[in-house]
Amino acid sequence: MLYAVIDIGSSIIKYKIYEYSEGKIEPVIIHDKTTGLISYRKDNTLTDEGIEVLLNTLKELKKYSDKLHVDKSYYVATASLRNVKNKNEVLDLVKKSLNIDITIYTGEEEAKHSFHSLRWIDLPCDEGIFVDVGGGSSEITIFEDTDKILEQKSIPIGVLTIFNEYVSLLYPTKEEQQTIINETLKRINNLKINDFSMEYLYGIGKTFVTLKRLFEHLKVKPDKNNLITIEQVDLVLDKLSTNSKENYKPALQVDSERVHTIIPSLLITKALSIRFNIKKIYVCDVTLQDGIIFDIIEKNQ
């Protein structure tokens, strides 16, 4: 049986097909579309142009699913629609135009499904802080004993909100970096999370995979394992604090679509390391969709 999970994010609409057979789930196709929905907002409302981009992209992905004979498709949205005033109008229009039902996750629901993606991998430690950095928000889960959740929150800040609100050029300057760290810490503290000290931060999604590739490309990280130290984060933040062609080049070579969000993702990571005394980042090559599909299969059994 083929399942498609479509994650409508603030920057990218992520499309992933899974095959479920004999009790096993396997991802088989990834077909993501960059839309930048967060850039189509005015007065916290998704503009007509943004709605058209959303409709055209979903129409294309629906046709793709039909051609591949996908049995069931699940459409979910996170901060991309969660935070806009006209979300009900958008949902109604998508339903009327394409007969697609979109489920909008709360921040806590997004954090829960993201955390379940860890079922796909083996962790170096059975406690830590799990992080999914998105365009409009960042979901964290603090856990111990592998699956005992201590705190689960959605931080109302993401890489695109940082870039749009705090970065004057392409990379934030050292002064802007400090402002971003302070603002992220402020939003974390507003959530009134208990004090924890954790050695590991587990980062999921393309954001952290891209960071790992950048660190390797810059030769800051000498090995190919999934660990990044906070000292290495500080080194890269310092190295890329100047806007120049020389500094843009490594990020462009690693992932040209994320060149403007690479440093914001590092700054969110840095703020979390300060707040929770984190020493190491473990890069997990899984996504929110990987957690969602597990929950769908379990629910349907």
Side-chain angles (χ1 to χ4, degrees):
M1 193 166 188
L2 293 179
Y3 292 87
V5 179
I6 298 91
D7 170 16
I8 303 167
S10 298
S11 176
I12 300 170
I13 296 182
K14 300 172 185 175
Y15 178 95
K16 202 167 187 177
I17 293 178
Y18 299 85
E19 183 176 23
Y20 179 63
S21 178
E22 298 180 354
K24 294 182 179 180
I25 310 169
E26 292 291 340
V28 289
I29 293 176
I30 297 174
H31 188 62
D32 297 345
K33 294 289 183 180
T34 300
T35 57
L37 286 180
I38 198 171
S39 65
Y40 294 98
R41 288 187 189 178
K42 186 176 182 181
D43 299 326
N44 208 28
T45 298
L46 189 63
T47 64
D48 290 343
E49 186 180 3
I51 293 171
E52 185 178 357
V53 168
L54 175 62
L55 287 172
N56 288 340
T57 306
L58 293 182
K59 182 179 180 180
E60 178 185 342
L61 293 176
K62 187 177 182 182
K63 286 182 178 178
Y64 194 73
S65 290
D66 291 341
K67 287 181 180 179
L68 294 173
H69 305 292
V70 170
D71 297 289
K72 291 185 179 180
S73 294
Y74 296 85
Y75 295 80
V76 303
T78 53
S80 58
L81 297 182
R82 181 170 68 225
N83 298 333
V84 298
K85 294 177 182 176
N86 60 335
K87 58 177 176 276
N88 291 331
E89 175 191 333
V90 174
L91 294 180
D92 290 343
L93 188 55
V94 170
K95 176 65 173 177
K96 182 179 179 180
S97 303
L98 302 174
N99 195 29
I100 287 174
D101 293 303
I102 299 174
T103 300
I104 298 180
Y105 286 156
T106 65
E108 289 71 23
E109 288 171 331
E110 184 180 355
K112 180 192 75 172
H113 290 297
S114 292
F115 181 63
H116 289 169
S117 68
L118 291 185
R119 299 176 187 181
W120 290 83
I121 59 176
D122 295 322
L123 302 179
C125 182
D126 64 0
E127 66 177 19
I129 298 181
F130 169 89
V131 181
D132 184 2
V133 174
S137 66
S138 299
E139 279 57 52
I140 68 169
T141 298
I142 303 170
F143 68 96
E144 64 181 10
D145 299 330
T146 305
D147 58 4
K148 181 182 178 182
I149 296 173
L150 304 176
E151 295 267 10
Q152 204 159 50
K153 300 288 185 180
S154 179
I155 308 168
I157 196 165
V159 291
L160 289 176
T161 51
I162 285 175
F163 181 77
N164 291 334
E165 295 177 21
Y166 300 102
V167 183
S168 56
L169 294 173
L170 188 59
Y171 287 169
T173 63
K174 284 190 176 182
E175 292 76 15
E176 289 170 340
Q177 285 187 12
Q178 192 57 55
T179 298
I180 292 164
I181 290 171
N182 291 342
E183 180 61 27
T184 305
L185 284 169
K186 178 182 174 182
R187 298 192 191 193
I188 294 170
N189 291 333
N190 285 344
L191 297 173
K192 302 187 183 306
I193 301 172
N194 291 325
D195 290 330
F196 293 96
S197 182
M198 295 288 184
E199 182 179 7
Y200 282 93
L201 179 152
Y202 300 99
I204 75 159
K206 188 70 180 293
T207 293
F208 283 95
V209 173
T210 301
L211 286 179
K212 176 178 177 287
R213 290 176 56 207
L214 177 65
F215 279 46
E216 291 169 353
H217 186 74
L218 290 170
K219 302 191 186 311
V220 170
K221 179 175 159 49
D223 48 52
K224 296 289 185 179
N225 64 30
N226 288 356
L227 282 177
I228 296 172
T229 67
I230 295 302
E231 290 78 12
Q232 290 168 344
V233 169
D234 291 337
L235 189 62
V236 171
L237 285 174
D238 183 63
K239 184 178 180 64
L240 300 183
S241 62
T242 303
N243 283 275
S244 66
K245 287 184 178 180
E246 181 183 358
N247 279 346
Y248 297 156
K249 189 175 180 180
L252 285 168
Q253 290 172 330
V254 167
D255 191 338
S256 60
E257 291 185 352
R258 295 174 185 267
V259 64
H260 60 307
T261 60
I262 285 178
I263 303 304
S265 64
L266 271 181
L267 293 168
I268 292 173
T269 301
K270 176 63 179 177
L272 287 166
S273 76
I274 293 170
R275 177 64 174 78
F276 299 108
N277 199 31
I278 293 161
K279 304 301 181 187
K280 299 173 184 176
I281 300 157
Y282 189 81
V283 178
C284 307
D285 193 5
V286 290
T287 67
L288 167 63
Q289 294 151 294
D290 296 326
I292 292 171
I293 191 63
F294 264 116
D295 294 334
I296 288 171
I297 297 299
E298 284 188 351
K299 185 177 179 180
N300 290 340
Q301 282 181 339

Short mmCIF file of all heavy atoms in Angstrom, two decimals, residues 16 18 110-123 130-132 202-205 284-295:
data_model
loop_
_atom_site.label_atom_id
_atom_site.label_comp_id
_atom_site.label_asym_id
_atom_site.label_seq_id
_atom_site.Cartn_x
_atom_site.Cartn_y
_atom_site.Cartn_z
N LYS A 16 6.33 13.15 0.30
CA LYS A 16 7.05 11.89 0.51
C LYS A 16 6.07 10.72 0.42
O LYS A 16 5.00 10.75 1.03
CB LYS A 16 7.73 11.91 1.88
CG LYS A 16 8.90 10.95 2.04
CD LYS A 16 9.67 11.30 3.31
CE LYS A 16 10.94 10.49 3.46
NZ LYS A 16 11.71 10.90 4.65
N TYR A 18 5.47 6.63 0.97
CA TYR A 18 5.92 5.47 1.73
C TYR A 18 5.18 4.23 1.23
O TYR A 18 4.00 4.29 0.89
CB TYR A 18 5.61 5.63 3.22
CG TYR A 18 6.27 6.81 3.88
CD1 TYR A 18 5.66 8.07 3.82
CD2 TYR A 18 7.46 6.70 4.57
CE1 TYR A 18 6.25 9.17 4.44
CE2 TYR A 18 8.05 7.79 5.19
CZ TYR A 18 7.44 9.02 5.12
OH TYR A 18 8.01 10.11 5.72
N GLU A 110 2.67 19.25 16.23
CA GLU A 110 3.82 19.17 15.34
C GLU A 110 5.03 18.61 16.08
O GLU A 110 5.76 17.75 15.56
CB GLU A 110 4.13 20.55 14.77
CG GLU A 110 5.26 20.54 13.75
CD GLU A 110 5.54 21.93 13.19
OE1 GLU A 110 4.83 22.88 13.51
OE2 GLU A 110 6.53 22.04 12.42
N ALA A 111 5.25 19.09 17.30
CA ALA A 111 6.37 18.60 18.10
C ALA A 111 6.23 17.10 18.39
O ALA A 111 7.21 16.35 18.33
CB ALA A 111 6.46 19.39 19.41
N LYS A 112 5.02 16.66 18.68
CA LYS A 112 4.77 15.24 18.98
C LYS A 112 5.09 14.36 17.78
O LYS A 112 5.81 13.36 17.89
CB LYS A 112 3.32 15.04 19.39
CG LYS A 112 2.96 13.59 19.73
CD LYS A 112 1.46 13.38 19.85
CE LYS A 112 0.79 13.38 18.49
NZ LYS A 112 -0.63 12.99 18.55
N HIS A 113 4.56 14.72 16.61
CA HIS A 113 4.80 13.92 15.41
C HIS A 113 6.28 13.95 15.01
O HIS A 113 6.84 12.94 14.56
CB HIS A 113 3.93 14.40 14.26
CG HIS A 113 2.47 14.12 14.44
ND1 HIS A 113 1.96 12.83 14.51
CD2 HIS A 113 1.40 14.95 14.55
CE1 HIS A 113 0.65 12.88 14.66
NE2 HIS A 113 0.28 14.15 14.69
N SER A 114 6.90 15.11 15.15
CA SER A 114 8.33 15.22 14.83
C SER A 114 9.16 14.29 15.72
O SER A 114 10.05 13.57 15.25
CB SER A 114 8.83 16.66 15.02
OG SER A 114 8.27 17.52 14.06
N PHE A 115 8.83 14.28 17.01
CA PHE A 115 9.56 13.44 17.96
C PHE A 115 9.44 11.97 17.60
O PHE A 115 10.39 11.19 17.75
CB PHE A 115 9.03 13.69 19.38
CG PHE A 115 9.73 12.90 20.44
CD1 PHE A 115 11.08 13.08 20.69
CD2 PHE A 115 9.03 11.96 21.19
CE1 PHE A 115 11.73 12.33 21.68
CE2 PHE A 115 9.67 11.23 22.18
CZ PHE A 115 11.02 11.41 22.42
N HIS A 116 8.30 11.57 17.09
CA HIS A 116 8.10 10.16 16.73
C HIS A 116 8.96 9.72 15.54
O HIS A 116 9.12 8.53 15.29
CB HIS A 116 6.62 9.89 16.44
CG HIS A 116 5.76 9.92 17.67
ND1 HIS A 116 4.38 9.93 17.64
CD2 HIS A 116 6.10 9.96 18.99
CE1 HIS A 116 3.91 9.96 18.87
NE2 HIS A 116 4.94 9.98 19.70
N SER A 117 9.52 10.67 14.82
CA SER A 117 10.42 10.31 13.72
C SER A 117 11.69 9.63 14.22
O SER A 117 12.39 8.95 13.46
CB SER A 117 10.79 11.55 12.89
OG SER A 117 11.61 12.44 13.64
N LEU A 118 12.01 9.80 15.50
CA LEU A 118 13.21 9.17 16.06
C LEU A 118 13.11 7.65 16.07
O LEU A 118 14.11 6.96 16.28
CB LEU A 118 13.46 9.68 17.49
CG LEU A 118 13.89 11.15 17.62
CD1 LEU A 118 14.22 11.48 19.07
CD2 LEU A 118 15.09 11.46 16.74
N ARG A 119 11.93 7.12 15.84
CA ARG A 119 11.77 5.66 15.78
C ARG A 119 12.55 5.06 14.61
O ARG A 119 12.80 3.85 14.59
CB ARG A 119 10.29 5.31 15.63
CG ARG A 119 9.41 5.77 16.77
CD ARG A 119 7.96 5.47 16.50
NE ARG A 119 7.07 6.04 17.50
CZ ARG A 119 5.76 5.89 17.50
NH1 ARG A 119 5.18 5.18 16.55
NH2 ARG A 119 5.01 6.45 18.43
N TRP A 120 12.93 5.89 13.66
CA TRP A 120 13.65 5.41 12.49
C TRP A 120 15.14 5.21 12.75
O TRP A 120 15.83 4.58 11.94
CB TRP A 120 13.50 6.40 11.33
CG TRP A 120 12.14 6.48 10.72
CD1 TRP A 120 11.08 7.22 11.18
CD2 TRP A 120 11.66 5.80 9.56
NE1 TRP A 120 10.00 7.05 10.37
CE2 TRP A 120 10.32 6.19 9.36
CE3 TRP A 120 12.26 4.92 8.64
CZ2 TRP A 120 9.55 5.72 8.29
CZ3 TRP A 120 11.48 4.46 7.58
CH2 TRP A 120 10.15 4.85 7.42
N ILE A 121 15.67 5.77 13.84
CA ILE A 121 17.13 5.80 14.01
C ILE A 121 17.55 5.35 15.41
O ILE A 121 16.74 5.29 16.33
CB ILE A 121 17.70 7.22 13.74
CG1 ILE A 121 17.06 8.23 14.71
CG2 ILE A 121 17.47 7.64 12.31
CD1 ILE A 121 17.61 9.62 14.58
N ASP A 122 18.83 5.05 15.54
CA ASP A 122 19.44 4.73 16.83
C ASP A 122 20.15 5.98 17.36
O ASP A 122 20.90 6.63 16.64
CB ASP A 122 20.45 3.59 16.69
CG ASP A 122 19.79 2.29 16.29
OD1 ASP A 122 18.68 2.02 16.80
OD2 ASP A 122 20.38 1.55 15.47
N LEU A 123 19.92 6.30 18.63
CA LEU A 123 20.50 7.49 19.23
C LEU A 123 21.72 7.15 20.07
O LEU A 123 21.80 6.06 20.64
CB LEU A 123 19.46 8.20 20.11
CG LEU A 123 18.17 8.63 19.42
CD1 LEU A 123 17.23 9.29 20.44
CD2 LEU A 123 18.44 9.58 18.27
N PHE A 130 15.23 17.23 21.50
CA PHE A 130 14.92 16.98 20.10
C PHE A 130 14.42 18.27 19.47
O PHE A 130 13.57 18.96 20.04
CB PHE A 130 13.85 15.89 20.03
CG PHE A 130 13.25 15.69 18.68
CD1 PHE A 130 13.81 14.81 17.78
CD2 PHE A 130 12.12 16.39 18.30
CE1 PHE A 130 13.24 14.62 16.53
CE2 PHE A 130 11.55 16.21 17.06
CZ PHE A 130 12.11 15.32 16.17
N VAL A 131 14.95 18.62 18.28
CA VAL A 131 14.62 19.91 17.66
C VAL A 131 14.30 19.74 16.19
O VAL A 131 15.02 19.05 15.45
CB VAL A 131 15.79 20.91 17.81
CG1 VAL A 131 15.42 22.25 17.18
CG2 VAL A 131 16.18 21.10 19.26
N ASP A 132 13.22 20.38 15.76
CA ASP A 132 12.85 20.46 14.35
C ASP A 132 12.71 21.94 14.02
O ASP A 132 11.74 22.58 14.41
CB ASP A 132 11.54 19.72 14.09
CG ASP A 132 11.16 19.68 12.61
OD1 ASP A 132 11.94 20.20 11.79
OD2 ASP A 132 10.10 19.13 12.29
N TYR A 202 19.26 16.74 19.39
CA TYR A 202 19.02 15.91 18.20
C TYR A 202 18.24 16.74 17.18
O TYR A 202 17.09 17.11 17.42
CB TYR A 202 18.23 14.66 18.59
CG TYR A 202 18.95 13.80 19.60
CD1 TYR A 202 18.64 13.87 20.97
CD2 TYR A 202 19.97 12.94 19.21
CE1 TYR A 202 19.31 13.11 21.90
CE2 TYR A 202 20.65 12.17 20.14
CZ TYR A 202 20.32 12.26 21.48
OH TYR A 202 21.00 11.50 22.41
N GLY A 203 18.89 17.06 16.07
CA GLY A 203 18.28 17.89 15.06
C GLY A 203 17.80 17.07 13.87
O GLY A 203 18.57 16.27 13.32
N ILE A 204 16.52 17.25 13.47
CA ILE A 204 15.99 16.49 12.34
C ILE A 204 15.73 17.41 11.15
O ILE A 204 15.68 18.63 11.28
CB ILE A 204 14.70 15.72 12.70
CG1 ILE A 204 13.50 16.69 12.79
CG2 ILE A 204 14.86 14.92 13.94
CD1 ILE A 204 12.18 16.00 12.65
N GLY A 205 15.55 16.80 10.01
CA GLY A 205 15.15 17.53 8.82
C GLY A 205 16.32 17.99 7.97
O GLY A 205 17.50 17.86 8.33
N CYS A 284 20.09 14.01 12.69
CA CYS A 284 19.21 12.87 12.40
C CYS A 284 18.58 13.08 11.03
O CYS A 284 17.84 14.05 10.82
CB CYS A 284 18.12 12.77 13.46
SG CYS A 284 18.71 12.74 15.17
N ASP A 285 18.85 12.20 10.11
CA ASP A 285 18.34 12.33 8.74
C ASP A 285 16.93 11.76 8.64
O ASP A 285 16.66 10.79 7.93
CB ASP A 285 19.29 11.63 7.76
CG ASP A 285 18.99 12.01 6.31
OD1 ASP A 285 18.13 12.89 6.11
OD2 ASP A 285 19.60 11.43 5.40
N VAL A 286 16.02 12.37 9.40
CA VAL A 286 14.61 12.03 9.36
C VAL A 286 13.81 13.33 9.34
O VAL A 286 14.36 14.41 9.58
CB VAL A 286 14.18 11.16 10.56
CG1 VAL A 286 14.77 9.77 10.47
CG2 VAL A 286 14.57 11.82 11.89
N THR A 287 12.50 13.23 9.07
CA THR A 287 11.67 14.42 8.96
C THR A 287 10.37 14.28 9.74
O THR A 287 10.04 13.18 10.22
CB THR A 287 11.31 14.69 7.48
OG1 THR A 287 10.46 13.62 7.02
CG2 THR A 287 12.56 14.75 6.60
N LEU A 288 9.65 15.37 9.83
CA LEU A 288 8.32 15.35 10.44
C LEU A 288 7.45 14.28 9.80
O LEU A 288 6.71 13.56 10.49
CB LEU A 288 7.67 16.74 10.27
CG LEU A 288 6.17 16.85 10.56
CD1 LEU A 288 5.87 16.53 12.01
CD2 LEU A 288 5.67 18.25 10.20
N GLN A 289 7.54 14.15 8.47
CA GLN A 289 6.71 13.16 7.77
C GLN A 289 6.97 11.74 8.26
O GLN A 289 6.06 10.91 8.30
CB GLN A 289 6.99 13.24 6.26
CG GLN A 289 6.55 14.55 5.61
CD GLN A 289 7.40 14.88 4.42
OE1 GLN A 289 8.58 15.16 4.54
NE2 GLN A 289 6.80 14.85 3.24
N ASP A 290 8.22 11.46 8.64
CA ASP A 290 8.56 10.12 9.11
C ASP A 290 7.86 9.80 10.43
O ASP A 290 7.56 8.64 10.71
CB ASP A 290 10.08 9.98 9.27
CG ASP A 290 10.81 10.13 7.95
OD1 ASP A 290 10.27 9.69 6.93
OD2 ASP A 290 11.93 10.68 7.94
N GLY A 291 7.63 10.83 11.24
CA GLY A 291 6.86 10.63 12.46
C GLY A 291 5.38 10.50 12.18
O GLY A 291 4.68 9.67 12.78
N ILE A 292 4.89 11.29 11.23
CA ILE A 292 3.47 11.27 10.88
C ILE A 292 3.06 9.90 10.36
O ILE A 292 2.02 9.35 10.74
CB ILE A 292 3.16 12.35 9.83
CG1 ILE A 292 3.31 13.75 10.44
CG2 ILE A 292 1.74 12.17 9.28
CD1 ILE A 292 3.23 14.88 9.42
N ILE A 293 3.87 9.32 9.46
CA ILE A 293 3.49 8.04 8.86
C ILE A 293 3.41 6.93 9.91
O ILE A 293 2.52 6.07 9.85
CB ILE A 293 4.44 7.65 7.69
CG1 ILE A 293 3.86 6.46 6.91
CG2 ILE A 293 5.83 7.34 8.18
CD1 ILE A 293 2.55 6.73 6.24
N PHE A 294 4.30 6.94 10.88
CA PHE A 294 4.22 5.95 11.96
C PHE A 294 2.90 6.09 12.72
O PHE A 294 2.23 5.10 13.03
CB PHE A 294 5.39 6.13 12.93
CG PHE A 294 6.55 5.23 12.67
CD1 PHE A 294 7.78 5.75 12.29
CD2 PHE A 294 6.44 3.85 12.77
CE1 PHE A 294 8.86 4.92 12.03
CE2 PHE A 294 7.51 3.01 12.52
CZ PHE A 294 8.73 3.55 12.14
N ASP A 295 2.53 7.34 13.00
CA ASP A 295 1.29 7.57 13.75
C ASP A 295 0.06 7.17 12.93
O ASP A 295 -0.92 6.66 13.48
CB ASP A 295 1.22 9.04 14.17
CG ASP A 295 2.31 9.39 15.17
OD1 ASP A 295 2.77 8.49 15.89
OD2 ASP A 295 2.68 10.58 15.25
#
